[in-house]
Amino acid sequence: MTRTRQLIVGMVGVAHFGAYRRQMLHAAGCFDLVALCDRNPEALAAAAREEHAQPYPEFEALLEHPGLEGLVISTGADTHARFAMAAMRKGLHVFIEKPLCCSMAEADALRQTQRETGRVVGVGHNHCLTDPLLNLAKQYITEGRLGTLAAFEENSSHSGGLEIKPGDWRGMPDRNPGGMLFQCGVHALHAQAFLFGPVQAVQAMMRYDVNPVTQTADVANVLLQYKSGLIGTLNCYHVTAYCHELRLFGTKGNLYLDTHRRLAWFQPRKRNEVEEREPVPVPPPPREYAYANLLSWYHAIRSGSPVYPGLEDGIAAVQPVFAAERAAREKREIPLV
């Protein structure tokens, strides 16, 4: 792959997932990370030593670092929109972790700021185009191996909600709407958009009483209707053992995916018998899969190619979350405009 000059970037949020994102910036090989910001002084100092970068305790000071072209935002979702809009207004391209933002008001503001500034917005969702497991599922759908796709079921759950401490933003409904649906369900919704297209309407039921420490949903059962007519369920639990599975049900057979272990099984439909599941080989992801989203952002900036995942992909993943929270509280179906 031919690359032009490196992109000079800064970063806010350098520890935890930010540390992983720094590794991916290096692996991509086309970024020069020169300036860092974090509210934790110890984490900031350690990252600055590792990266040989300039540390900034204050975000506003980071934006003034000379020569910056882009900003990578790896903070909590409750600050994504604020940081991204400030950076775009300073003329910087932005790469925002997922979930994109905490409300449709923030999403609309991000859209407006991007239109006004013309900056390239990349989002830290998985790069579905290079995901062998999702492409296997898409192949089964488009080639008719499942027949008519009737429905799907997906579960994205773990017990992280039980680790939330009082006062943590993850326990606050205005900053973590939908609980696990916001934390991990957006990954599933992003992949579902790749497989099924846009969501048309949402219904949901949620429980808030399993974990008394938080005010966010502990359990979210969401019914999704797609513009294609397909319906399916996305269930996200923040208080249970680990489970990440997607099941596709068709008139010719079912496809079962373990999206964590990256395993697949096909169950062909037969008449008058209980069908067995047959393992389906899944190729390993290409080396660049983990940082293909960063590469797409880079090439969109340097050559004007489309960015994927981009701002609209990030919005498509969070909009059903906000609709589901509203549907659960209002006890009605919420259409997506």
Side-chain angles (χ1 to χ4, degrees), residues 2-330:
T2 301
R3 292 175 180 159
T4 57
R5 67 190 187 281
Q6 290 195 325
L7 191 74
I8 310 302
V9 297
M11 186 175 191
V12 55
V14 300
H16 306 296
F17 197 83
Y20 167 80
R21 187 60 71 194
R22 286 191 284 123
Q23 293 176 7
M24 294 304 101
L25 286 165
H26 290 300
C30 51
F31 298 95
D32 190 3
L33 183 56
V34 300
L36 305 173
C37 179
D38 198 285
R39 64 184 179 184
N40 183 317
E42 291 79 16
L44 177 59
R49 288 192 299 269
E50 293 170 5
E51 304 296 343
H52 305 287
Q54 177 67 43
Y56 290 96
E58 301 297 330
F59 175 70
E60 291 73 17
L62 169 71
L63 296 183
E64 300 298 333
H65 186 92
L68 281 187
E69 299 175 274
L71 180 71
V72 178
I73 302 169
S74 292
T75 56
D78 58 333
T79 57
H80 287 176
R82 175 166 60 89
F83 288 159
M85 289 187 289
M88 282 190 276
R89 292 183 183 120
K90 279 288 186 180
L92 302 181
H93 305 286
V94 294
F95 184 91
I96 312 169
E97 296 296 353
K98 69 290 172 197
L100 175 69
C101 58
C102 295
S103 68
M104 278 308 298
E106 287 187 339
D108 291 338
L110 283 165
R111 273 179 172 146
Q112 182 62 30
T113 305
Q114 195 277 329
R115 283 196 293 265
E116 291 172 354
T117 63
R119 299 299 85 188
V120 176
V121 179
V123 180
H125 280 293
N126 292 337
H127 194 266
C128 299
L129 297 170
T130 54
D131 185 333
L133 188 66
L134 290 180
N135 279 285
L136 172 72
K138 193 151 196 171
Q139 183 181 13
Y140 269 70
I141 295 169
T142 57
E143 292 182 358
R145 299 188 193 187
L146 302 180
T148 299
L149 189 60
F152 72 90
E153 300 170 355
E154 185 155 8
N155 193 298
S156 182
S157 301
H158 63 59
S159 61
L162 296 174
E163 307 302 320
I164 296 175
K165 302 295 189 294
D168 190 318
W169 68 270
R170 293 171 182 82
M172 302 175 185
D174 59 329
R175 300 163 79 178
N176 186 18
M180 187 62 175
L181 185 63
F182 189 61
Q183 292 293 303
C184 280
V186 291
H187 294 281
L189 288 161
H190 174 63
Q192 289 168 18
F194 174 73
L195 293 174
F196 312 136
V199 176
Q200 180 171 286
V202 173
Q203 300 178 47
M205 297 181 72
M206 298 184 183
R207 284 191 67 178
Y208 302 85
D209 61 335
V210 181
N211 182 3
V213 173
T214 68
Q215 302 174 48
T216 53
D218 303 311
V219 170
N221 290 345
V222 182
L223 178 62
L224 299 156
Q225 181 180 25
Y226 283 76
K227 289 186 177 180
S228 64
L230 178 70
I231 60 173
T233 57
L234 173 59
N235 301 324
C236 296
Y237 314 140
H238 219 180
V239 290
T240 68
Y242 208 91
C243 179
H244 289 277
E245 298 177 356
L246 172 61
R247 298 172 287 276
L248 308 179
F249 298 92
T251 56
K252 291 184 179 179
N254 305 335
L255 186 66
Y256 303 88
L257 307 177
D258 183 324
T259 56
H260 172 62
R261 295 187 297 161
R262 307 188 68 78
L263 301 174
W265 300 265
F266 178 63
Q267 183 185 34
R269 183 188 66 82
K270 300 177 182 178
R271 298 186 64 184
N272 303 318
E273 61 180 284
V274 177
E275 302 93 342
E276 296 295 326
R277 300 184 185 185
E278 306 167 352
V280 178
V282 180
R287 183 179 61 180
E288 67 272 15
Y289 169 64
Y291 51 84
N293 46 15
L294 286 167
L295 288 177
S296 179
W297 181 55
Y298 170 85
H299 287 296
I301 296 166
R302 286 290 186 244
S303 64
S305 56
V307 60
Y308 178 81
L311 179 60
E312 291 304 321
D313 301 299
I315 292 174
V318 293
Q319 188 174 14
V321 174
F322 307 146
E325 181 85 24
R326 184 179 167 194
R329 295 191 182 279
E330 298 180 9

